[in-house]
Amino acid sequence: MKQASKTALGGILAALSLVIMFLFAIFPSATIAAPAVAGIFLIFAVLEMGKGWAFGIYVAVSILAMLVIPSKEAAILYVVFFGYYPILKAVMEKHIRKRSVEWIAKLLLFSVVMTAAYYLMIRFMGIEFEEIDKYGKAAVPVLLGVGAVAFVGYDYCLTLFVGEYLRRWQKRFKKLFRLK
């Protein structure tokens, strides 16, 4: 793949990620869905251009999201987890041979990053976490558990998406963008 093609595709993927973040910003309840969906575009970058290009796209989208996305919570979640997770998923699945160890690492990463991100957002950015006010400190482990279940579903959907893309869409994608 030529550098110009990679650059153009990278720009398109970055733009699509930002557009998704903007569209989801309309709905306050989509704070987590926006960065999760926006991160999916990095799968194309990992598969077609490599992890280095995907990381560059992640950095560009992260900077732009922090500057222009109205929902700072969604932008932060993209930066601290959902933006780089498709890249890290590819690395973990390639290098961690034991499936149980891979899942422990993924769940531990998700739990630590999300806990730290929300703690910092509440503490330093004044983002309110209404569930703690309503349900007390028990809300944190319950929400983290629910989040972990949702994360497992997200990871599984990413895996299905990669398989479907490789089986059905990769040839069309390469032809459309003249990537051969």
Side-chain angles (χ1 to χ4, degrees):
M1 181 187 261
K2 295 178 182 179
Q3 290 295 99
S5 296
K6 288 181 180 181
T7 303
L9 180 58
I12 291 168
L13 295 174
L16 287 170
S17 293
L18 286 169
V19 165
I20 291 295
M21 297 270 287
F22 264 114
L23 290 175
F24 276 76
I26 296 169
F27 307 103
S29 60
T31 302
I32 296 173
V37 173
I40 291 173
F41 291 104
L42 287 173
I43 291 172
F44 295 114
V46 169
L47 293 172
E48 300 302 338
M49 299 184 295
K51 293 173 202 78
W53 276 88
F55 185 75
I57 295 167
Y58 156 72
V59 170
V61 172
S62 295
I63 292 168
L64 290 169
M66 292 301 293
L67 293 172
V68 300
I69 299 299
S71 171
K72 293 304 170 204
E73 187 177 354
I76 288 169
L77 291 176
Y78 181 88
V79 171
V80 301
F81 187 75
F82 289 106
Y84 68 82
Y85 183 71
I87 303 165
L88 189 60
K89 175 179 171 55
V91 171
M92 292 173 101
E93 290 177 354
K94 181 178 181 180
H95 295 294
I96 300 175
R97 298 289 180 214
K98 278 189 120 177
R99 199 87 154 125
S100 59
V101 173
E102 174 191 319
W103 274 105
I104 289 169
K106 287 177 179 180
L107 286 166
L108 187 61
L109 172 75
F110 174 81
S111 299
V112 168
V113 168
M114 287 300 175
T115 301
Y118 273 100
Y119 173 78
L120 294 172
M121 284 189 278
I122 291 166
R123 183 91 165 102
F124 297 110
M125 295 181 66
I127 292 175
E128 294 188 26
F129 196 54
E130 293 137 11
E131 286 78 7
I132 290 178
D133 293 338
K134 283 184 192 174
Y135 305 109
K137 294 193 186 245
V140 174
V142 169
L143 288 172
L144 198 54
V146 170
V149 170
F151 166 70
V152 169
Y154 176 71
D155 184 272
Y156 179 71
C157 287
L158 287 178
T159 300
L160 291 177
F161 183 78
V162 168
E164 192 67 19
Y165 171 74
L166 292 173
R167 272 189 303 281
R168 289 186 172 203
W169 299 102
Q170 189 177 37
K171 288 180 184 177
R172 293 179 185 152
F173 186 83
K174 285 186 174 193
K175 186 177 180 181
L176 177 67
F177 287 99
R178 295 186 175 107
L179 300 177
K180 286 189 177 185

